[in-house]
Amino acid sequence: MKKILLSDALHYYRANLHCHSTISDGRKTPEELKAFYQAQGYSAIAFTDHEVLIPHNDLTDDSFVALNGYELAVNDVGSSFMALHCCHLCLIALDPEPKNDVCYHRTKYLGCGNSPKYHDKVQFDPAQPDFERVYTPEGVNEMIERGRRGGFFVTYNHPAWSLEDYPIYMAYHGMNAMEICNYSAVKDGFDEYDGHVYNDMLRGGERLYCVATDDNHNVESTGDPAASDSFGGYVMIGAPKLGYRELTQALENGMFYSVSTLTGHTGPEIHSVTYEDGTVELRSSLARRITIDTGLRSTHAVFAPEGTTVDHAIFRLKNNEPWFRLIVEDAAGAKAYTNAFFTDTLQD
């Protein structure tokens, strides 16, 4: 029986799931960010200011959804931040009702920029003791688990910027997704296209999604779009309509794909993905290459001949792949990434 993995019957809404405003160390207000992103065709932003969970439901209307979230950090011990390992997580509330900060401390972890000014506006459970953060696998995993249990979609952010390598990130478990591209880090010079990290985690047994994000701070002052850290990483969320819970339910169910591109450009579109009897079929916008990555040597690519394009690919699995994911690359080098699909869930 044919299984629809990404449906062309849904509307796909463009969203940035990692964003900083003047509430922490960004240069644009939440209102300015809404207008800035809407002008580029975005329907949603997750406002994830450092350490402060501030609801922005007042920005939601018929054409835009403000997702409520925040970014948590835990640092290794050392004298120089430039050399410190750290771990950053974004927590996005699954419903619009105000949530408690799940890792709250009354006097520590105040964030940066303007975050400390908002610390006393954060909702938390006063019956709970202050949460002490520890940069160990156990400490990070407890933060992930608290986020999941507290009603958040939890993402693992920018491993290259965080100076976290294989032995470190492989000890983290249970997040909903990891960042396959963090555009702000790319603009800062990091190799933050992290498909290899995603593959490592999948091979290690994690069942998680991938997201491309901006992590924008909008500190550029020249007005040159090429200097901007916005519009380079986004997700396309498939939902029956534009609404807060419709978007977050689609995130939970993996009904989205991610795109990494350059400021001012729109990346490739994935129209549909289906699976039937070991055969994977993808339809997309015009591209120069479509790849299936299985984590094994059965990975394969369909190339468009010189001077042509391709918008359709069929791949036959060899029956021993535990998972697969698809990548569409256009003529400008922009890429669209599906989440991993696990073959043991696709059997009739």
Side-chain angles (χ1 to χ4, degrees):
M1 183 175 68
K2 180 177 288 190
K3 297 184 183 297
I4 298 173
L5 307 183
L6 278 177
S7 173
D8 57 3
L10 298 171
H11 188 89
Y12 282 82
Y13 300 97
R14 189 179 304 181
N16 175 17
L17 298 184
H18 189 169
C19 176
H20 297 286
S21 76
T22 51
I23 288 176
S24 61
D25 59 346
R27 297 294 177 87
K28 292 183 182 294
T29 66
E31 293 78 10
E32 289 171 334
L33 285 167
K34 174 183 175 179
F36 190 50
Y37 273 81
Q38 272 197 304
Q40 295 296 321
Y42 283 69
S43 299
I45 295 175
F47 292 90
T48 54
D49 279 301
H50 294 284
E51 305 298 347
V52 285
L53 176 58
I54 303 297
H56 295 288
N57 295 328
D58 58 305
L59 298 181
T60 294
D61 56 33
D62 290 342
S63 62
F64 183 83
V65 172
L67 300 172
N68 300 322
Y70 62 133
E71 186 174 21
L72 301 178
V74 55
N75 298 332
D76 201 358
V77 177
S79 58
S80 171
F81 177 73
M82 292 300 174
L84 283 183
H85 297 291
C86 63
C87 180
H88 284 204
L89 305 169
C90 276
L91 276 62
I92 301 170
L94 292 174
D95 66 67
E97 296 305 314
K99 293 285 187 184
N100 285 336
D101 181 326
V102 295
C103 297
Y104 192 78
H105 195 291
R106 291 167 177 82
T107 60
K108 296 181 181 179
Y109 320 121
L110 303 183
C112 53
N114 291 319
S115 298
K117 300 176 185 178
Y118 292 86
H119 189 66
D120 61 355
K121 296 178 172 59
V122 173
Q123 181 172 297
F124 68 100
D125 185 351
Q128 295 297 315
D130 288 338
F131 181 78
E132 296 284 351
R133 302 181 192 179
V134 183
Y135 185 72
T136 62
E138 295 78 15
V140 171
N141 288 334
E142 183 177 0
M143 293 171 69
I144 293 169
E145 193 276 332
R146 280 172 170 254
R148 296 289 301 271
R149 190 174 69 239
F152 294 90
F153 185 88
V154 180
T155 67
Y156 170 58
N157 302 340
H158 47 59
W161 183 93
S162 300
L163 306 184
E164 294 197 306
D165 51 19
Y166 181 92
I168 297 175
Y169 60 70
M170 289 300 288
Y172 300 155
H173 307 295
M175 70 282 286
N176 293 94
M178 58 80 62
E179 288 186 336
I180 199 164
C181 172
N182 180 288
Y183 192 58
S184 178
V186 168
K187 299 297 287 188
D188 283 344
F190 290 89
D191 184 8
E192 206 69 79
Y193 296 106
D194 292 307
H196 66 288
V197 177
Y198 190 33
N199 281 7
D200 287 343
M201 290 181 162
L202 293 169
R203 289 191 189 104
E206 293 298 300
R207 298 205 172 196
L208 74 168
Y209 305 133
C210 65
V211 295
T213 72
D214 275 345
D215 189 8
N216 56 294
H217 297 75
N218 304 106
V219 299
E220 74 285 346
S221 59
T222 64
D224 180 2
S228 175
D229 61 359
S230 289
F231 316 130
Y234 56 88
V235 295
M236 297 295 290
I237 306 175
K241 66 177 183 177
L242 182 63
Y244 194 109
R245 191 66 187 106
E246 285 78 9
L247 294 185
T248 59
Q249 195 163 50
L251 289 177
E252 287 184 282
N253 294 334
M255 191 56 67
F256 64 92
Y257 63 91
S258 298
V259 179
S260 65
T261 183
L262 298 174
T263 296
H265 297 270
T266 299
E269 297 177 357
I270 297 177
H271 296 155
S272 66
V273 179
T274 61
Y275 173 90
E276 185 174 19
D277 297 329
T279 297
V280 181
E281 184 172 3
L282 177 143
R283 296 185 181 275
S284 69
S285 58
L286 299 180
R288 69 180 179 189
R289 180 171 65 175
I290 300 173
T291 303
I292 187 168
D293 190 336
T294 65
L296 304 175
R297 291 194 179 91
S298 51
T299 292
H300 185 65
V302 172
F303 289 85
E306 184 70 27
T308 68
T309 55
V310 61
D311 62 3
H312 180 221
I314 297 175
F315 301 102
R316 179 69 186 175
L317 298 180
K318 301 182 184 301
N319 299 319
N320 61 341
E321 296 89 347
W323 53 266
F324 62 90
R325 61 188 187 91
L326 299 142
I327 305 161
V328 178
E329 182 177 352
D330 69 13
K335 294 181 179 180
Y337 315 84
T338 72
N339 293 307
F341 302 106
F342 297 91
T343 52
D344 64 357
T345 69
L346 301 177
Q347 308 309 316
D348 293 328

